[in-house]
Amino acid sequence: HALRDTVRRFVERDVLPVVAERERADDYPGDLLPALAALGVLGMSIPEEHGGSAIDLVGYALVFEELARGWMGLASVVGSSQSGCWLIGRFGTEEQRQRFLPDLAAGRRMSGIALTEPSTGSDLRAVTLRAEPRGDHYVVNGTKTMITQARHADPLVVLAVTDPTAASASRAMSLLLVEQGTPGWTVGRDITKLGHKGVELCEL
């Protein structure tokens, strides 16, 4: 509740006075992220041993509610990154956690998740993006669409089929961490939204 109250004051002071103008400009709220990192907001889903604030889900919901009250685009940027952070913290290797989570908590990096595809929408059982092992890495082929944080997530958590012979769709898929600058990684286009400005939605 203390973090919620701090975020409420931040929203009142730094978000509400400018949100109408920034919504019209579809302006990415990157300049607001360092202050949120300093408050602990960008580490909400990151364990304390990796620099996070690790609040519970009720606290997370209260903070998210305050951010959305001020600017839904800002809330979505934070929420998308926190989803990626939670997955890395929960399922990543220790090397991945040490490499990425402190920078994510401090706002030096942002994360996100890439699930939806042009032909399957949100039906994750029908995902077709393939990731084939080649030595010590994977070669990923396919397209994701409507991806929040596509240009800013580093790393982006990407859902891909890694074992097409598996007995079930869930066992056929894995989550891969893809860093910005990976060869072959391209942003195909931006998808225009009727509302919900300030947060990018892209094809990859």
Side-chain angles (χ1 to χ4, degrees), residues 39-87:
L39 296 177
V41 171
L42 299 187
M44 290 188 296
S45 63
I46 296 175
E48 291 181 2
E49 61 265 30
H50 294 294
S53 45
I55 66 175
D56 61 25
L57 289 176
V58 173
Y60 178 90
L62 292 172
V63 169
F64 194 87
E65 183 178 59
E66 286 300 324
L67 291 173
R69 180 178 68 87
W71 186 4
M72 190 61 214
L74 176 61
S76 292
V77 166
V78 171
S80 178
S81 188
Q82 291 304 292
S83 295
C85 292
W86 185 86
L87 289 166

Side-chain angles (χ1 to χ4, degrees), residues 8-198:
R8 178 178 292 167
R9 290 191 290 271
F10 169 81
V11 167
E12 295 285 346
R13 183 186 69 243
D14 296 323
V15 179
L16 289 177
V18 299
V19 66
E21 180 180 350
R22 298 191 69 170
E23 278 267 305
R24 284 192 295 272
D26 199 8
D27 189 20
Y28 183 78
D31 58 305
L32 299 175
L33 298 177
L36 290 177
L39 296 177
V41 171
L42 299 187
M44 290 188 296
S45 63
I46 296 175
E48 291 181 2
E49 61 265 30
H50 294 294
S53 45
I55 66 175
D56 61 25
L57 289 176
V58 173
Y60 178 90
L62 292 172
V63 169
F64 194 87
E65 183 178 59
E66 286 300 324
L67 291 173
R69 180 178 68 87
W71 186 4
M72 190 61 214
L74 176 61
S76 292
V77 166
V78 171
S80 178
S81 188
Q82 291 304 292
S83 295
C85 292
W86 185 86
L87 289 166
I88 296 168
R90 182 77 178 268
F91 300 109
T93 66
E94 184 57 31
E95 186 275 333
Q96 289 168 338
R97 290 193 290 267
Q98 291 181 6
R99 180 180 177 194
F100 294 120
L101 292 180
D103 281 350
L104 287 163
R108 292 186 292 269
R109 290 178 181 260
M110 295 294 283
S111 189
I113 53 175
L115 305 177
T116 54
E117 297 184 1
S119 60
T120 62
S122 298
D123 181 4
L124 301 185
R125 294 171 299 177
V127 161
T128 61
L129 185 87
R130 292 285 296 274
E132 299 179 359
R134 303 278 179 86
D136 63 351
H137 63 279
Y138 284 89
V139 174
V140 182
N141 285 299
T143 302
K144 293 291 186 182
T145 193
M146 302 191 72
I147 304 305
T148 304
Q149 289 280 89
R151 286 193 178 85
H152 294 88
D154 188 19
L156 182 68
V157 181
V158 179
L159 182 65
V161 175
T162 50
D163 182 6
T165 65
S168 67
S170 61
R171 292 186 180 277
M173 291 182 273
S174 301
L175 294 170
L176 305 178
L177 299 183
V178 180
E179 294 183 78
Q180 293 284 348
T182 297
W185 163 292
T186 57
V187 176
R189 65 188 177 103
D190 286 89
I191 298 166
T192 303
K193 305 176 296 299
L194 182 60
H196 200 185
K197 302 297 186 179

